[in-house]
Amino acid sequence: MKMSDLVAQTILEMLDDHNGNAEIQRNELATTLGCVPSQINYVITSRFTPEQGYMVESRRGGGGYIRITRVHADNETLVMHIVNSIGDKIDKVTAEVMIKNLYRQQLLDRKLANVMMVALSDRALATAPQNIRDSLRASIFKNMLIATIS
């Protein structure tokens, strides 16, 4: 498992364990996971955005922390925020994290989450030229998400 995936998984588990709220000491988490603090920042800024259903508050300094809160919105609004946040391209790992998050939030059942994971996998897109796979993946993902609320 890539370090960024481990960081994201750890934060998601913290959110699940604390009713959608997690207060993170960046340096402590980095030490625990064996990574550098900038990797924690990268994961938070790329995977825990308002468009993905999170509010992030940061306080710097010796007693600083990063507080992440899962925002509770109606399903249609949340899915549309996610669709709008995807952009023109999305890599496989980011798509997988988003699908797992949707499953954890019970916006997707296990079967649909698995279908999405397979449909967006590198194996499913193997016949597409490498330089357009992430664009194709984004288009497919957005359309699958829209279909869940139609």
Side-chain angles (χ1 to χ4, degrees), residues 74-92:
D74 65 88
N75 293 353
E76 186 172 330
T77 301
L78 184 56
V79 169
M80 288 313 298
H81 279 298
I82 293 167
V83 167
N84 292 328
S85 73
I86 291 172
D88 295 333
K89 295 180 180 182
I90 189 168
D91 61 72
K92 179 180 79 87

Side-chain angles (χ1 to χ4, degrees), residues 23-27 41 44 56-68:
E23 193 167 295
I24 299 164
Q25 297 287 332
R26 191 177 66 133
N27 290 337
N41 286 346
I44 290 171
V56 178
E57 176 187 349
S58 179
R59 181 165 307 216
R60 303 226 179 248
Y65 60 84
I66 298 170
R67 182 176 296 140
I68 302 173

Side-chain angles (χ1 to χ4, degrees), residues 26-75:
R26 191 177 66 133
N27 290 337
E28 279 182 32
L29 183 58
T31 300
T32 301
L33 298 177
C35 66
V36 295
S38 63
Q39 287 177 295
I40 307 292
N41 286 346
Y42 169 76
V43 170
I44 290 171
T45 58
S46 64
R47 298 188 188 184
F48 294 91
T49 65
E51 294 81 15
Q52 294 169 323
Y54 299 96
M55 297 283 293
V56 178
E57 176 187 349
S58 179
R59 181 165 307 216
R60 303 226 179 248
Y65 60 84
I66 298 170
R67 182 176 296 140
I68 302 173
T69 304
R70 189 177 288 136
V71 178
H72 299 284
D74 65 88
N75 293 353

